[in-house]
Amino acid sequence: QVQLVESGGGLVQAGGSLRLSCAASGSILSINSMGWFRQAPGKQRSLVALITTRGSINYADSVKGRFTISRDNANNTVYLQMNSLEPEDTAVYYCWLLDYGLHNYWGQGTQVTVSS
C-alpha cells in the first residue's frame, strides 16, 4: 500500500505564499509522475501541476507564473510553491502519484484558504 502525507496548507492573505509538501512511502512501484490537484466547494477536482520522473512539468493555466512544482526523487517527495495567492486558489489540495503500473494514489488533502 502507498501512503501520501501532505503538509503545508493553511490560511493566508491574498498576495501571500504557501509551500505544500507531499512525501510518498510504502509499496511503491517505480514512480511515473507526482503532482497536485485541487477541489473547491461545488467544483470538480482539477489538475494544478504535475512533474514526471524525467522532469517534464505541466501547470494549469490559472497558476502559471505563480506556482512552482519541484520534486526530490531520492526521497519520493513533491513540493508546490504557491506565490501571489488569490482567493480563487482556495481549495482542498490533494497530492497525487502515478506509478508505472498505472495505479493512481491520492493523499488525504490539505486545506488552502486565501482571504481577500
Side-chain angles (χ1 to χ4, degrees):
Q1 191 69 4
V2 173
Q3 293 83 39
L4 300 176
V5 179
E6 301 139 335
S7 61
L11 172 65
V12 65
Q13 289 187 331
S17 299
L18 285 173
R19 187 185 193 220
L20 305 183
S21 301
C22 173
S25 62
S27 303
I28 306 172
L29 296 177
S30 295
I31 297 176
N32 181 327
S33 301
M34 295 185 73
W36 296 90
F37 285 68
R38 67 186 181 187
Q39 188 168 16
K43 295 187 177 181
Q44 291 188 332
R45 190 175 299 188
S46 62
L47 173 71
V48 176
L50 67 85
I51 182 168
T52 70
T53 301
R54 294 186 178 184
S56 297
I57 292 174
N58 286 325
Y59 291 106
D61 287 344
S62 60
V63 307
K64 285 180 180 177
R66 300 188 298 121
F67 291 10
T68 302
I69 190 170
S70 60
R71 182 170 165 180
D72 180 349
N73 288 334
N75 293 301
N76 296 329
T77 301
V78 65
Y79 305 95
L80 185 69
Q81 178 66 44
M82 304 185 294
N83 298 329
S84 302
L85 282 160
E86 304 169 352
E88 293 74 22
D89 296 315
T90 295
V92 177
Y93 284 69
Y94 294 92
C95 180
W96 165 81
L97 182 154
L98 176 71
D99 68 20
Y100 277 104
L102 300 183
H103 300 105
N104 288 281
Y105 299 95
W106 296 93
Q108 78 282 1
T110 185
Q111 178 70 45
V112 171
T113 302
V114 184
S115 63
S116 57

